[in-house]
Amino acid sequence: MNRQPSSLCLEQLQVYGALVPVLHSAFRTLEARIPAPVPTTVYGRVYPRYKERTAQQAAIQKLARYISGLRALLVLINNRQLQEEAVIKRTLDEI
């Protein structure tokens, strides 16, 4: 079985690979402009939560999910896990 990514997969790898650092940089810039999450106890465990719940904080959370999904796509494409790749793409489309 050929484990090499197809030319389409290689093109996607290049695009996603170039996009992730740009989005990550934008994320860090935007993150610095909003109030940070505070440790909050939920069901006996401590989690970081935004106290203010602003639209900007919601947007930064969505951007974080998008970046995470793109990183997952890079791993899946590299390993020819095409069905799983399609699931992540549908998830990203819904964000």
Side-chain angles (χ1 to χ4, degrees):
M1 183 169 153
N2 183 5
R3 299 293 295 169
Q4 294 295 328
S6 68
S7 61
L8 177 60
C9 287
L10 289 173
E11 186 178 320
Q12 289 176 347
L13 280 171
Q14 291 172 342
V15 171
Y16 297 154
L19 186 57
V20 169
V22 172
L23 289 176
H24 187 75
S25 176
F27 176 87
R28 292 293 176 210
T29 300
L30 294 171
E31 179 186 42
R33 296 178 182 209
I34 61 173
V38 296
T40 305
T41 302
V42 179
Y43 299 115
R45 298 192 64 185
V46 178
Y47 298 96
R49 295 285 190 261
Y50 288 113
K51 183 178 178 182
E52 300 81 6
R53 298 183 182 196
T54 67
Q56 292 85 357
Q57 290 164 327
I60 201 78
Q61 287 178 312
K62 283 188 171 202
L63 181 56
R65 285 188 205 104
Y66 209 85
I67 293 168
S68 177
L70 286 174
R71 287 184 175 147
L73 278 175
L74 290 170
V75 171
L76 293 170
I77 292 170
N78 265 328
N79 291 286
R80 303 275 299 157
Q81 301 295 315
L82 303 180
Q83 186 171 358
E84 290 78 6
E85 172 201 359
V87 171
I88 298 294
K89 283 181 177 177
R90 285 193 298 274
T91 302
L92 290 173
D93 188 46
E94 292 175 5
I95 294 175

